[in-house]
């Protein structure tokens, strides 16, 4: 019996040990699950609170530095969250603009006009102070245009000459503005001055504009530009003829008036190329108006007949010649012409020599004889250098409408 009871006790103790080991194993597995859970650390107590500080155990170390957990701020407090520092990508509205940063602004039109007017005022002061220097610049540009003939492109040559004429025109307007400021008070006289300015400016730029149009758009575009400029000049002349009874309306011509202006410092006498309108006291009759009308319509009549006739026809040439002859005969009968009218009449008479260079007369008669004369002069040692570029430049110049047929 005693042996049986001992065996039962051993068996019971073995079962209890097995149950204890099974419970310990299950408790260990539950603890491992809690450690690997994502939120396991949130339930852990703060180490700084669970572990007593050494300052309570050792009074001599009461002044030791604080624990690092209290001196270093938490990363969650020191670093701002990305959701607060960067705007959300899903935000569709416009970003806020900082008004403290000035935005770049373009210069307004008024400021540009003010700057240009300031430069013009300074130029007027310099011109009236030393006019001889600016006149020398005009002569320099004109001389460069002559020297560059047949050495550079025709556009550059005409550009230099156009700048010389425009500079001369602007300088005359500035230098003679005081002298005629009282004469332009009349509205009629002011309108006449504006119409004459249109004619003079178009005369300054027409050759260069024609050459540029031919280079940009070809021959058809060139004839379109020529027609537009001719119509504009004709309209301005017709207004002067019928509304203001003006005849012998002149284009821009350098130094064609004996009156002028003397520089205050230099003492140099400068002739005025286009004085203010000098109206004759004599009202032109129908014959004078008809003569001026023939000269005004001649460029447009030539262009129209040139488009209707064949390329080498003499009809446009003879029609233009007849209109010029009738105009010169009628305008020569004007009684008591002003100085400006007399100079304009002389200019038109000299301009008639251009008929020697107008096609088809030039192609059939003048060209061969002129080239023979140029070839003969080129053999002379001294004069030969002066005719080097004429043979190359003359044919291209003869084909420019405003250089030969302009009015």
């Amino acid at each position: 019996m005693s042996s049986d009871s001992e065996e039962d006790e051993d068996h019971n103790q073995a079962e209890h040990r097995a149950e204890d080991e099974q419970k310990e194993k299950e408790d260990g597995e539950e603890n491992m699950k809690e450690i690997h859970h994502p939120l396991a650390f949130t339930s852990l107590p703060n180490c700084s609170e669970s572990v007593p500080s050494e300052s309570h155990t050792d009074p001599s170390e009461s002044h030791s530095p604080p624990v690092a957990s209290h001196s270093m701020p938490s990363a969650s407090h020191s670093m701002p969250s990305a959701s607060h520092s960067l705007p959300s990508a899903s935000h569709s509205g416009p970003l806020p603009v900082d008004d403290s940063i000035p935005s770049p602004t373009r210069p307004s039109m008024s400021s540009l006009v003010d700057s240009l007017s300031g430069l013009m005022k300074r130029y007027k002061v310099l011109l009236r102070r030393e006019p001889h220097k600016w006149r020398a610049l005009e002569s320099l540009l004109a001389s460069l245009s002559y020297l560059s003939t047949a050495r550079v492109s025709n556009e550059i040559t005409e550009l230099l000459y156009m700048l010389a004429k425009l500079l001369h025109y602007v300088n005359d307007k500035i230098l003679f503005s005081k002298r005629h400021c009282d004469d332009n008070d009349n509205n009629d006289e002011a309108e006449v001055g504006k119409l004459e300015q249109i004619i003079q400016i178009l005369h300054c730029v027409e050759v260069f504009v024609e050459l540029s149009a031919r280079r940009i758009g070809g021959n058809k575009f060139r004839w379109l530009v020529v027609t537009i400029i001719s119509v504009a000049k004709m309209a301005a002349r017709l207004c002067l003829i019928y509304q203001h009874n003006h005849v012998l309306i002149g284009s821009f011509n350098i130094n064609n008036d004996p009156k002028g202006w003397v520089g205050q410092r230099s003492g140099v006498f400068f002739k005025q190329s286009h004085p203010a309108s000098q109206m004759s006291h004599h009202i032109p009759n129908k014959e004078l108006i008809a003569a001026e009308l023939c000269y005004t319509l001649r460029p447009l009549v030539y262009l129209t007949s040139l488009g209707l006739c064949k390329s080498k026809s003499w009809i446009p040439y003879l029609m233009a010649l007849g209109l010029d002859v009738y105009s010169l005969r009628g305008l020569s009968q004007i009684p008591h012409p002003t100085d400006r009218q007399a100079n304009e009449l002389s200019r038109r008479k000299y301009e008639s020599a251009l008929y020697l260079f107008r096609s088809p007369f030039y192609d059939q008669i003048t060209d061969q004889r002129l080239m023979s004369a140029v070839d003969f002069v080129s053999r002379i040692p001294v004069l030969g250098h002066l005719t080097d570029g004429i043979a190359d430049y003359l044919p291209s110049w003869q084909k420019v409408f405003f250089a030969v047929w302009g009015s």
Side-chain angles (χ1 to χ4, degrees):
M1 291 292 293
S2 60
S3 62
D4 292 334
S5 62
E6 290 178 357
E7 291 179 356
D8 290 337
E9 288 179 359
D10 294 337
H11 180 72
N12 290 333
Q13 291 179 358
E15 287 180 355
H16 285 301
R17 284 196 298 270
E19 289 176 0
D20 294 338
E21 291 176 0
Q22 184 67 25
K23 287 182 180 181
E24 290 178 358
K25 184 177 181 181
E26 289 176 358
D27 294 336
E29 288 179 356
E30 289 179 0
N31 292 333
M32 292 298 295
K33 288 181 180 180
E34 290 180 357
I35 293 174
H36 290 287
H37 195 273
L39 300 178
F41 289 100
T42 57
S43 62
L44 294 176
N46 192 353
C47 297
S48 60
E49 296 177 359
S50 61
V51 179
S53 176
E54 295 179 357
S55 60
H56 296 284
T57 59
D58 192 358
S60 61
E61 296 181 357
S62 60
H63 298 284
S64 63
V67 182
S69 61
H70 294 283
S71 62
M72 296 299 292
S74 175
S76 60
H77 295 284
S78 61
M79 297 298 292
S81 176
S83 61
H84 294 285
S85 61
L86 295 178
S88 176
S90 62
H91 183 67
S92 59
L95 295 175
V97 180
D98 190 1
D99 297 334
S100 62
I101 302 176
S103 59
T105 58
R106 296 182 179 180
S108 61
M109 185 60 66
S110 59
S111 61
L112 182 61
V113 172
D114 293 339
S115 61
L116 291 177
S117 61
L119 290 176
M120 194 62 188
K121 290 180 181 179
R122 291 183 60 187
Y123 177 74
K124 290 180 180 180
V125 172
L126 294 175
L127 176 62
R128 291 193 176 103
R129 185 178 299 170
E130 295 177 336
H132 59 283
K133 292 184 178 180
W134 298 98
R135 293 301 192 186
L137 180 59
E138 299 171 13
S139 302
L140 177 62
L141 289 174
S143 301
L144 288 176
S145 67
Y146 296 138
L147 294 175
S148 62
T149 301
R151 292 176 175 83
V152 296
S153 63
N154 295 335
E155 288 80 3
I156 297 178
T157 300
E158 291 300 332
L159 175 62
L160 293 173
Y161 191 63
M162 180 193 71
L163 293 176
K165 291 192 294 185
L166 287 176
L167 184 62
H168 189 88
Y169 174 80
V170 172
N171 290 344
D172 272 1
K173 292 292 292 183
I174 296 173
L175 293 175
F176 296 97
S177 59
K178 287 185 177 181
R179 176 182 157 193
H180 298 284
C181 60
D182 298 333
D183 298 335
N184 291 329
D185 293 337
N186 194 323
N187 293 331
D188 182 74
E189 196 70 16
E191 185 178 354
V192 170
K194 292 180 180 179
L195 292 172
E196 289 182 343
Q197 287 179 13
I198 294 174
I199 298 172
Q200 291 158 1
I201 292 175
L202 288 176
H203 183 77
C204 290
V205 304
E206 58 188 5
V207 176
F208 175 73
V209 172
E210 179 185 352
L211 292 175
S212 301
R214 183 175 61 183
R215 179 174 289 273
I216 294 172
N219 208 32
K220 291 184 179 180
F221 183 65
R222 167 214 173 193
W223 284 115
L224 175 63
V225 172
V226 166
T227 304
I228 292 174
I229 295 177
S230 300
V231 170
K233 292 175 68 175
M234 182 191 69
R237 289 178 182 273
L238 289 176
C239 290
L240 290 173
I241 293 172
Y242 286 105
Q243 294 185 4
H244 305 284
N245 295 321
H246 271 223
V247 294
L248 285 169
I249 303 163
S251 300
F252 182 84
N253 188 24
I254 295 177
N255 294 335
N256 63 354
D257 194 274
K259 298 178 181 180
W261 178 83
V262 179
Q264 297 179 356
R265 296 182 60 184
S266 62
V268 180
F269 177 78
F270 300 105
K271 294 181 180 180
Q272 185 180 7
S273 60
H274 56 285
S277 301
Q278 301 176 13
M279 297 183 63
S280 177
H281 296 289
H282 176 76
I283 297 176
N285 52 30
K286 293 182 179 180
E287 288 77 9
L288 293 176
I289 292 178
E292 184 66 20
L293 190 62
C294 288
Y295 180 80
T296 301
L297 297 177
R298 187 257 298 163
L300 209 60
V301 169
Y302 174 79
L303 287 174
T304 304
S305 58
L306 189 65
L308 297 175
C309 301
K310 296 181 180 180
S311 59
K312 296 183 180 181
S313 176
W314 282 80
I315 295 178
Y317 180 88
L318 294 176
M319 290 179 65
L321 179 61
L323 291 174
D324 272 344
V325 170
Y326 179 81
S327 176
L328 289 176
R329 288 187 60 184
L331 293 173
S332 298
Q333 307 300 322
I334 184 173
H336 309 293
T338 62
D339 294 335
R340 186 180 183 184
Q341 291 174 340
N343 290 328
E344 176 62 21
L345 184 60
S346 300
R347 188 190 69 83
R348 293 185 186 183
K349 289 180 180 179
Y350 289 122
E351 194 180 62
S352 301
L354 289 176
Y355 276 95
L356 298 175
F357 299 94
R358 293 170 178 172
S359 298
F361 189 89
Y362 175 82
D363 300 330
Q364 300 183 15
I365 300 174
T366 308
D367 188 16
Q368 184 178 0
R369 291 168 174 78
L370 184 61
M371 289 298 105
S372 299
V374 170
D375 184 61
F376 174 77
V377 175
S378 63
R379 298 174 184 176
I380 302 175
V382 179
L383 301 178
H385 298 286
L386 301 177
T387 59
D388 289 340
I390 294 180
D392 298 329
Y393 177 74
L394 192 58
S396 60
W397 170 83
Q398 189 269 336
K399 295 178 182 178
V400 180
F401 176 81
F402 286 120
V404 182
W405 287 97
S407 60

